[in-house]
Amino acid sequence: MSGTSPVFVLLTDFGLADPYAGQLKAALFVHAPSVPILDLSHGVPPFAVPTGAFFLAASRRYYPKGAIFICVVDPGVGSFRDLVCITNANHTLLGPDNGLLALACRDMRREGPVSIHTLVPSSLPAANTFHGRDILAPIAASLASGSAIHAVGARPRKKIFTPPWAEPEHGSGEIICTVLHADRFGNCILNLPNEDELLLYPRLSLYIPKSGNSVALQEVTHYAELPASAAGILPGGQGFYEVAMANAPAAEHLDLAPGDACHIRGDLWGQV
Amino acid sequence: MSGTSPVFVLLTDFGLADPYAGQLKAALFVHAPSVPILDLSHGVPPFAVPTGAFFLAASRRYYPKGAIFICVVDPGVGSFRDLVCITNANHTLLGPDNGLLALACRDMRREGPVSIHTLVPSSLPAANTFHGRDILAPIAASLASGSAIHAVGARPRKKIFTPPWAEPEHGSGEIICTVLHADRFGNCILNLPNEDELLLYPRLSLYIPKSGNSVALQEVTHYAELPASAAGILPGGQGFYEVAMANAPAAEHLDLAPGDACHIRGDLWGQV
Amino acid sequence: MSGTSPVFVLLTDFGLADPYAGQLKAALFVHAPSVPILDLSHGVPPFAVPTGAFFLAASRRYYPKGAIFICVVDPGVGSFRDLVCITNANHTLLGPDNGLLALACRDMRREGPVSIHTLVPSSLPAANTFHGRDILAPIAASLASGSAIHAVGARPRKKIFTPPWAEPEHGSGEIICTVLHADRFGNCILNLPNEDELLLYPRLSLYIPKSGNSVALQEVTHYAELPASAAGILPGGQGFYEVAMANAPAAEHLDLAPGDACHIRGDLWGQV
C-alpha cells in the first residue's frame, strides 16, 4: 500500500447501545493511533449478513485507496467459520467468511487481481473472544503499518463463500431476488444490480413467497413517477434496484424484510 | 479563513441504520483527508426541517472559527430548490434553501456581515444523485483548502428562504409558536428565543390547535419548580423556551410534535 | 502523563437524537483541537447509572495510557452532587460522584495508587448549565495539555460514593445481584465479576423479587450449551457473569431491567 495513507473503516451490527463499537475503536486506536477511523455503520440489523454485504458493496467505492475495512456481522461468533482477508490494489477487507464480503469481493475482481487469505490467529482465541476487537483489530493495525499479509499469520486461498443471495436467479419469465435491506423510508433494496436488465414485458408483478401475495409492479426511474399506493421498481441510488411505494414504506405494506425472497414476474398476456 | 483550521461539522436526518452518513464522511475524507470531521447529529427525524434548524442554531456557537457545516435535511431531494452557502467571518453553512439554515443565518447576521451564494454544480447532477455526498462534500473540501466561494461555482444572492416557523407570531394577548424539537425527555422546544419576553399576564395557558386542547402553563425558571403533572414553560438550556412537565414527557401528554403550532395565551381576567 | 498522548473518551446517556453529544465534542475540539475524541458510547439508557458504570468498567482497559474519560449519566443535573476526577498512572476519569465511576475506580485501585479530587468550577455555573460541555470539557482540555489537577480548581478527597450495586451481596446460600445492563441480545449482565465463585451447589435457581418469580438456572461456559428455553448463567465476555437464554432475550422473558435485583440461590436439597 505504498503511496497511500491507510484509514480504518468500520462496518458492524453492534449498534451503539452496547460498548462493543467503542471497544473495537479503542483496540484500533491503541494499535495504530495515527490511523483515522471512519464509521461506515454500526446499524446493520443484528446478524443481517445480506444487509451488511449490501452496505459494504454500495459504499466501498467512496473510500480512498488504502482503506482497510473491518467488518463484523456474524451470527456464528464462537462457532466454526474462517476469518478472511481480501485485498486488491485499492482496498483491504477483513471479516468472517459468511457472505458478508461476497458482494464487495465480486466488485473488487472487476478492478483487477484480488488476493484472498485465511487469517490464522497467532494463538488459540480464549473463550468469549470478541473477534473484531481481539483478532481483527491487531491484524488491521499490522497491515496499516505496512506488514505483508503473510506476516500477520494468513494462508492464501482461492475462493470465499458465496451465499445464495449473492446474485438473483434469472429464470424463464421471472427474476428471483432477495431483499438485501429495507431503508428508513421502507424502500426494499434487492440483490439485482442496476446494470442488469429487467424483464422485457410490458407489465410486471412482484410475487412474495412468504405471504403468497402478488402485486402489480410499475417500472419507473424516479420515486416521483409512482402513483399513490402503487408499488414500483426503479434503479436505486445505491447501485441496486429498489422496490418502493409513493410516500409509503413498501417494506411494511408488502411485508418484506432483509433476507426475504421476491419474484419479479412478467405478465404473460402482455409479453412483447 | 486564514489563521483558522477548518473542521467539517455534519448535521443530517440520515440516521445511522443506513450507509448514507458513512458515505458522506467517506466523500469528505477522500477530498480533504486532513480536515477533522465532527458529527453534530445524524438523528434529526426524517424530513424534520424545523428540528434540524434548531439543532444548528443551538449548536453553531460551540464550534471553532473556520468550521464548515454540511447540513442535509431535505424532503425535496430530486425536486427543485437551491443549494446555498452562507458565510461570515466565523462559519460557513452549506445546505438546501428550505429553512434548514434560517435560524442559524439570523444569528450569524448579528455577528457581522454575511454573504450568501447559490451553489451551481459544475455539471448537471445525474439521476439519484446524493446531494450531500456528491455535491456538497467536494464543495466543502474546496472551501476547506482555501478556495474562494466564487471558484466553486456559486453566484451571490441577497436572501434565503425564511420559513413561517423562523420566528413566533406575537399577537394580541398571545404568542403563536411552533414546536421545533421534542427531546428525549419529552420537553418541547419552541421557536421562541430565551431573549424574548413572555406575555405580561399573571396566568398563562397553552392552546394546541391540532387537538383543540388548552392547558394551564406555569412560568418557571427550572424544571424542579414544576408541581407534579403540571405543564410549564421555561427558558431552556439550548437558547429557546421549552414546554415541559415534571418528570413526564410533555410531548406525549400534550400530543405535540415538531412542526406543530401552539399558542401561549394570557388569561384576560388576570391581566396586569 | 508525560510520555503518553492524551485521548478523550466519551461515555454519556445523551443518545444521538439530540444535539448534546455533538455540542460536547465541539467544546472539546475548541479547547483541544489536536486531541483525538473516541466515543465509548452515547447509548447508555437515560439516567441508567449502573449501566454506565458497567460500560466504563468493561471498556476502560482497552484504552491507551493517557486516556481521559468524560462521563455523563446524571439524573441529578442541577441538583447537588460533586463532580470528581479520579486518576492513576494510566487513566483519568471525570464525572459526577453518583456511582458512575465506582466500578472503574475499584479496578484502578488494583493497578496502583489512585488520587481523587472534587472539581470546583472557577465560577458559579449559570442556570441550565450543561455540565459535560461547560465544566468537564474545559477541565479535560486543561488536563490534556499537561496542567496539574490542582491547577484546574480541584481539592483532594479520599473516597467516592459507592452505590449499593457496586458489588453483589454474598449471603448464606444465595448471592444477591443487581442487573447492570441488558444487551441487544437480551443477555442480563450482573454486578458479579467473572473472578467471583458461584455457589457450590449442584443446582442453582434465580429468584426475582420484582415479579416474585423463580427459575432454574444452568451454570454453563458458553451460550451454545444452553438447551432451548432454559435460563443459564455464564462468565461473560465483558468481565461479569451474564444471565442468558438460548436464542431468546432473557431480559424480556424474565422481566429484568438494569437496576433490578435478582438472587442466585443454591438448591438446599442438592447441596454439596
Side-chain angles (χ1 to χ4, degrees):
Chain A
M1 265 177 252
S2 57
T4 64
S5 294
V7 53
F8 296 134
V9 183
L10 308 187
L11 175 67
T12 79
D13 65 348
F14 295 160
L16 296 173
D18 279 304
Y20 309 131
Q23 291 176 9
L24 174 56
K25 288 187 206 185
L28 288 166
F29 185 83
V30 161
H31 288 99
S34 65
V35 178
I37 300 173
L38 292 175
D39 291 320
L40 198 174
S41 176
H42 298 287
V44 175
F47 305 153
V49 175
T51 303
F54 159 68
F55 278 29
L56 183 61
S59 307
R60 188 184 55 88
R61 74 194 74 179
Y62 301 109
Y63 289 91
K65 198 171 150 83
I68 299 171
F69 295 76
I70 295 105
C71 308
V72 188
V73 178
D74 196 359
V77 164
S79 61
F80 186 81
R81 47 103 208 77
D82 286 333
L83 291 171
V84 293
C85 174
I86 301 174
T87 313
N88 72 1
N90 294 320
H91 293 142
T92 297
L93 314 181
L94 300 172
D97 185 28
N98 61 5
L100 182 62
L101 312 179
L103 302 182
C105 182
R106 188 176 56 197
D107 292 342
M108 287 170 74
R109 290 190 189 281
R110 295 195 193 111
E111 298 167 7
V114 165
S115 78
I116 304 178
H117 288 77
T118 302
L119 300 173
V120 187
S122 52
S123 58
L124 206 63
N128 299 311
T129 295
F130 177 172
H131 288 178
R133 181 192 69 202
D134 301 334
I135 300 178
L136 296 183
I139 288 176
S142 292
L143 295 175
S145 73
S147 291
I149 179 69
H150 55 78
V152 300
R155 53 166 196 269
R157 60 194 280 172
K158 291 254 169 61
K159 298 169 78 172
I160 59 164
F161 170 67
T162 301
W165 43 261
E167 49 188 37
E169 193 182 324
H170 290 265
S172 169
E174 71 173 5
I175 310 175
I176 304 177
C177 299
T178 300
V179 176
L180 297 177
H181 177 50
D183 76 8
R184 72 183 331 202
F185 309 108
N187 302 320
C188 296
I189 289 104
L190 305 182
N191 63 340
L192 183 67
N194 285 348
E195 300 83 55
D196 281 22
E197 290 218 9
L198 281 182
L199 298 164
L200 290 175
Y201 287 73
R203 289 189 198 84
L204 300 177
S205 66
L206 189 74
Y207 168 68
I208 301 165
K210 188 172 71 170
S211 61
N213 290 335
S214 199
V215 294
L217 200 60
Q218 297 211 18
E219 191 179 347
V220 296
T221 56
H222 286 90
Y223 297 118
E225 297 168 42
L226 280 169
S229 78
I233 186 165
L234 71 167
Q238 297 286 318
F240 295 85
Y241 278 94
E242 302 181 6
V243 170
M245 295 181 75
N247 294 315
E252 193 185 306
H253 281 262
L254 303 176
D255 190 20
L256 280 172
D260 285 351
C262 60
H263 300 221
I264 303 169
R265 288 181 168 170
D267 179 341
L268 286 177
W269 288 273
Q271 191 165 2
V272 176
Chain B
M1 266 177 253
S2 58
T4 64
S5 294
V7 53
F8 297 133
V9 183
L10 309 187
L11 175 67
T12 80
D13 64 348
F14 295 160
L16 296 172
D18 279 305
Y20 310 131
Q23 291 177 8
L24 174 56
K25 288 188 206 184
L28 288 166
F29 185 83
V30 161
H31 287 100
S34 65
V35 178
I37 300 173
L38 293 175
D39 291 320
L40 198 174
S41 176
H42 298 287
V44 175
F47 305 153
V49 175
T51 303
F54 159 68
F55 278 29
L56 183 61
S59 308
R60 188 184 55 88
R61 74 194 73 178
Y62 301 109
Y63 290 91
K65 199 171 151 82
I68 299 172
F69 294 76
I70 294 105
C71 308
V72 187
V73 178
D74 197 359
V77 163
S79 61
F80 186 81
R81 48 102 208 76
D82 286 333
L83 291 172
V84 293
C85 174
I86 301 174
T87 313
N88 72 1
N90 293 320
H91 293 143
T92 297
L93 315 181
L94 300 172
D97 185 28
N98 61 5
L100 182 62
L101 313 179
L103 302 182
C105 181
R106 188 176 56 198
D107 292 342
M108 287 169 74
R109 290 190 189 281
R110 295 196 193 110
E111 298 167 8
V114 165
S115 78
I116 305 178
H117 288 77
T118 302
L119 299 173
V120 187
S122 52
S123 59
L124 206 63
N128 298 311
T129 295
F130 177 172
H131 287 178
R133 181 192 69 203
D134 301 333
I135 300 179
L136 296 184
I139 289 176
S142 292
L143 295 175
S145 73
S147 292
I149 179 68
H150 55 78
V152 300
R155 54 166 196 268
R157 60 193 280 171
K158 292 254 169 61
K159 299 169 78 172
I160 60 165
F161 170 67
T162 301
W165 44 261
E167 48 189 37
E169 193 182 325
H170 290 265
S172 168
E174 72 173 5
I175 310 175
I176 304 177
C177 299
T178 300
V179 176
L180 297 177
H181 177 49
D183 76 8
R184 71 182 333 201
F185 309 108
N187 302 320
C188 296
I189 289 104
L190 305 182
N191 63 340
L192 183 67
N194 285 349
E195 301 82 55
D196 281 22
E197 290 217 9
L198 281 182
L199 299 164
L200 290 175
Y201 287 73
R203 291 189 198 84
L204 300 177
S205 66
L206 189 75
Y207 168 67
I208 301 165
K210 189 172 71 171
S211 61
N213 290 336
S214 200
V215 294
L217 201 60
Q218 297 211 20
E219 192 179 346
V220 295
T221 55
H222 285 90
Y223 297 118
E225 297 168 42
L226 280 170
S229 78
I233 186 164
L234 71 167
Q238 297 286 318
F240 296 85
Y241 279 94
E242 301 181 5
V243 170
M245 296 181 74
N247 294 316
E252 193 185 306
H253 281 262
L254 303 176
D255 190 19
L256 280 172
D260 285 351
C262 60
H263 300 220
I264 303 169
R265 288 181 168 170
D267 179 341
L268 286 176
W269 289 273
Q271 191 165 3
V272 176
Chain C
M1 266 176 253
S2 58
T4 64
S5 294
V7 53
F8 296 133
V9 183
L10 308 187
L11 175 66
T12 80
D13 64 349
F14 295 161
L16 296 173
D18 279 304
Y20 310 131
Q23 291 177 9
L24 174 56
K25 288 188 206 184
L28 288 165
F29 185 83
V30 161
H31 287 100
S34 65
V35 178
I37 301 173
L38 293 175
D39 291 319
L40 199 174
S41 176
H42 298 287
V44 175
F47 306 153
V49 175
T51 303
F54 159 68
F55 278 29
L56 183 61
S59 307
R60 188 183 57 87
R61 74 194 73 180
Y62 300 109
Y63 290 91
K65 198 171 151 81
I68 299 171
F69 294 76
I70 294 106
C71 308
V72 188
V73 178
D74 196 358
V77 163
S79 61
F80 187 81
R81 47 103 209 77
D82 286 333
L83 291 171
V84 293
C85 174
I86 301 173
T87 313
N88 73 1
N90 294 320
H91 293 142
T92 297
L93 314 181
L94 300 172
D97 185 28
N98 61 5
L100 182 62
L101 313 179
L103 302 182
C105 182
R106 188 176 56 198
D107 292 343
M108 287 170 73
R109 290 189 190 282
R110 295 196 193 111
E111 298 167 7
V114 165
S115 78
I116 305 178
H117 288 77
T118 302
L119 300 173
V120 186
S122 52
S123 58
L124 206 63
N128 298 311
T129 295
F130 177 172
H131 288 178
R133 181 192 68 202
D134 301 334
I135 300 178
L136 296 183
I139 288 175
S142 292
L143 295 175
S145 73
S147 291
I149 179 68
H150 55 78
V152 300
R155 53 166 197 268
R157 60 193 281 171
K158 291 255 169 59
K159 297 170 78 172
I160 59 165
F161 170 67
T162 301
W165 43 261
E167 48 188 38
E169 193 183 324
H170 290 264
S172 168
E174 72 173 5
I175 310 175
I176 304 177
C177 299
T178 300
V179 176
L180 296 177
H181 177 49
D183 76 8
R184 71 182 333 201
F185 309 108
N187 302 320
C188 296
I189 289 104
L190 305 182
N191 63 340
L192 183 67
N194 285 349
E195 300 82 55
D196 281 23
E197 290 218 9
L198 281 182
L199 298 164
L200 289 175
Y201 287 73
R203 290 190 197 84
L204 299 176
S205 65
L206 189 74
Y207 168 68
I208 301 166
K210 189 173 70 170
S211 61
N213 290 335
S214 200
V215 294
L217 200 60
Q218 296 210 19
E219 192 178 347
V220 295
T221 56
H222 286 89
Y223 297 118
E225 296 168 42
L226 280 169
S229 78
I233 186 164
L234 71 166
Q238 297 286 318
F240 295 86
Y241 278 94
E242 302 181 5
V243 170
M245 296 181 74
N247 294 315
E252 193 185 305
H253 281 261
L254 303 175
D255 189 20
L256 279 171
D260 285 351
C262 60
H263 300 221
I264 303 168
R265 288 181 168 170
D267 179 341
L268 286 176
W269 289 273
Q271 191 165 2
V272 177

